Amino acid sequence: MENRDDQLLQTLGRRNWLILAILLLVSLCWQSRGVFFGVLSGGLVAIVGYYWLRLALMRMLAEPNRLSAKRFQWGYLARLIVLGGTLFLLIGVVHIHPLGLAVGLSVVLLNLLVTTLQRLL
């Protein structure tokens, strides 16, 4: 069990890309570039946000002190602002399909759901 826990972050990272690929293949059924690029852009935003958060958490846990916790909090706020700005640009300026974007953004959520169900069974 301990070995499985050690590999969890790597497994989640790889499975994010697999789920994104599956969602992209499913989005081809709509035969719409807007839906495809919505899923693609949402998936990329979600995966980049996941890796960014993972890196920040690993940095904070590597040197657990008050300064690293403050740095993590400010980084979290910066991450929210950057991700919010990215979503604003994708929806407001680029006019990405909102439903495709929402599906793409759910990549990490679906991954966590699959991992949880897999570990329960």
Side-chain angles (χ1 to χ4, degrees):
M1 179 106 162
E2 186 174 308
N3 188 21
R4 228 173 60 172
D5 290 341
D6 292 341
Q7 300 298 321
L8 180 62
L9 293 177
Q10 290 82 12
T11 303
L12 286 172
R14 282 191 302 272
R15 196 177 298 139
N16 280 336
W17 292 106
L18 178 65
I19 291 173
L20 177 59
I22 291 168
L23 290 176
L24 286 172
L25 289 174
V26 171
S27 74
L28 291 174
C29 295
W30 274 267
Q31 297 180 353
S32 166
R33 286 184 181 195
V35 172
F36 177 82
F37 285 115
V39 171
L40 178 63
S41 60
L44 290 176
V45 166
I47 290 172
V48 167
Y50 167 79
Y51 280 115
W52 194 356
L53 179 62
R54 177 181 165 192
L55 179 65
L57 282 172
M58 288 174 56
R59 270 193 221 144
M60 184 183 73
L61 293 175
E63 50 181 79
N65 58 35
R66 193 173 184 91
L67 180 63
S68 65
K70 279 289 188 197
R71 194 176 317 135
F72 176 79
Q73 290 172 344
W74 283 107
Y76 194 84
L77 182 62
R79 190 171 36 261
L80 283 177
I81 291 170
V82 169
L83 292 176
T86 303
L87 292 176
F88 172 77
L89 289 174
L90 286 172
I91 294 170
V93 177
V94 182
H95 301 292
I96 290 291
H97 193 278
L99 184 59
L101 183 67
V103 169
L105 287 170
S106 67
V107 165
V108 176
L109 178 68
L110 290 171
N111 191 1
L112 292 174
L113 179 66
V114 166
T115 302
T116 303
L117 291 175
Q118 192 177 47
R119 286 181 167 233
L120 284 176
L121 303 175

